[in-house]
Amino acid sequence: MREVNWELLSIIGTIAFAVSGAIVAMEEEYDILGVYVLGLITAFGGGVVRNILIGKPVTLIWEQGLLFQVALFAMTIVFLMPVGWIRVWKNWYAFFDAIGLASFSIQGALYATNMGHPLSAIIVAAVLTGIGGGMIRDVLAGRKPLVLKDEIYAVWGILAGACIGLGWSQEMLPLSLLFIIIVGLRMLSVFYKWKLPKRSLNSSTSGFNNQV
């Protein structure tokens, strides 16, 4: 049962992140090669970083032939879409990003759990799988990684990892519920502009800025 969940989560997350990477590339006016490169990095970058840290061979990425095909197909569809459709799709960007975050965070946590890692490693695997690709995407696109600056984002990956690491959500129904909760919390944080406390060293804005 868990293998079915894992494969489904991988497909959902791959489509969501590949599409988000392709859209960012087109916003930055990259050519079609740049669209594919940025989309693939967004979809698979988090998994590569996760594998490095939890001791899995990085070369395992080349065994994901189906997911590569899914990502390439999704990016091709987006690239060929009329501009008007893409603009409409961009309005749903946060939603697709939330789906990718939830899918990959849960997948990363299950990955580490199956390897017998402790709770701390499971949480790290969840967070890196969920946000790693997006961070690399933003850096390559010349943008500051929003997940570390403006929004509550990685927290939801931590929540997913903690729930799975503590054994609360490892079967089909609890995993599905956890997926819905993570997507819902991510969208609420976007809608209500929830932010973590931050502190600036600029004299004009010094002090703690606690916006939630």
Side-chain angles (χ1 to χ4, degrees), residues 44-115:
F44 296 99
V48 170
V49 175
R50 174 203 65 211
N51 286 355
I52 292 173
L53 290 181
I54 66 175
K56 294 292 287 185
V58 178
T59 52
L60 286 178
I61 189 175
W62 304 120
E63 298 179 6
Q64 304 181 66
L66 174 61
L67 296 181
F68 272 103
Q69 294 175 29
V70 168
L72 290 171
F73 179 76
M75 290 184 292
T76 301
I77 293 297
V78 172
F79 187 80
L80 296 176
M81 274 184 178
V83 174
W85 291 14
I86 296 176
R87 287 173 179 164
V88 172
W89 197 331
K90 280 178 58 181
N91 295 331
W92 292 83
Y93 169 79
F95 179 66
F96 285 105
D97 198 59
I99 290 175
L101 171 67
S103 301
F104 275 13
S105 294
I106 293 173
Q107 184 232 44
L110 289 175
Y111 205 129
T113 300
N114 288 343
M115 293 183 63

Side-chain angles (χ1 to χ4, degrees), residues 8 31 42 46 56 87 122 130 132 148 161 168 185:
L8 179 60
D31 60 22
T42 307
K56 294 292 287 185
R87 287 173 179 164
I122 293 171
L148 301 179
W168 298 344
L185 288 172

Side-chain angles (χ1 to χ4, degrees), residues 16-32:
F17 275 176
V19 168
S20 74
I23 290 177
V24 168
M26 286 186 283
E27 286 179 338
E28 298 296 327
E29 300 184 355
Y30 288 10
D31 60 22
I32 186 170

